[in-house]
């Protein structure tokens, strides 16, 4: 299992890549269980009212969450690149362009 974390604007967003042999969550819209690598992460966008408060660079905004985004991939590299792009896109949706991305292996090596 890989944790892909984006850090920007004083906050973080983390998603998970489930690797071959690991059990990815199953829910409506989840990728085929035959996928070698499965990326799962929240998606969100800024809203004027309602939503959940989030502090970005010292200023409070409100965000609404979409259903978790999950996709299946054939290779680890494809999954990591898609994960990084997804995280950059989520931050861009709330006006944060400077995002540091970390990839961390969870569990036994």
């Amino acid at each position: 299992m890989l944790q892909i974390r984006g850090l920007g604007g004083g906050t973080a967003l983390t998603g998970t890549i489930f690797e071959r042999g690991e059990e990815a969550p199953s829910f409506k819209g989840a990728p085929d269980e035959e996928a070698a690598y499965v990326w799962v992460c929240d998606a969100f966008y800024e809203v004027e009212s309602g939503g959940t408060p989030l502090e970005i660079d010292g200023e409070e905004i409100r965000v609404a969450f979409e259903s978790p985004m999950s996709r299946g991939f054939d290779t680890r590299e494809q999954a990591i690149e898609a994960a990084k792009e997804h995280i950059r896109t989520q931050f861009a949706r709330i006006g944060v362009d400077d995002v540091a991305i970390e990839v961390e292996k969870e569990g036994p090596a």
Side-chain angles (χ1 to χ4, degrees):
M1 177 182 316
L2 299 173
Q3 298 289 308
I4 313 297
R5 182 172 299 109
L7 304 161
T11 193
L13 172 64
T14 303
T16 303
I17 295 174
F18 294 89
E19 298 180 281
R20 188 181 317 274
E22 296 175 333
E23 189 172 329
S26 60
F27 51 89
K28 184 179 178 182
D32 185 317
E33 59 188 48
E34 297 298 317
Y37 298 88
V38 177
W39 163 245
V40 180
C41 189
D42 286 330
F44 54 85
Y45 55 95
E46 188 172 359
V47 293
E48 293 295 319
S49 63
T52 302
L54 178 66
E55 190 170 306
I56 300 294
D57 290 328
E59 182 180 326
E60 184 177 284
I61 65 168
R62 302 194 73 74
V63 296
F65 288 86
E66 299 172 349
S67 296
M69 186 264 200
S70 64
R71 292 176 50 199
F73 298 92
D74 294 329
T75 70
R76 186 179 197 181
E77 293 74 25
Q78 289 172 330
I80 290 171
E81 284 310 307
K84 289 177 177 180
E85 184 58 32
H86 175 80
I87 288 174
R88 284 187 202 100
T89 298
Q90 299 316 298
F91 276 98
R93 292 170 91 177
I94 58 171
V96 177
D97 295 323
D98 188 20
V99 180
I101 297 181
E102 302 171 347
V103 177
E104 182 179 317
K105 176 85 172 156
E106 292 289 317

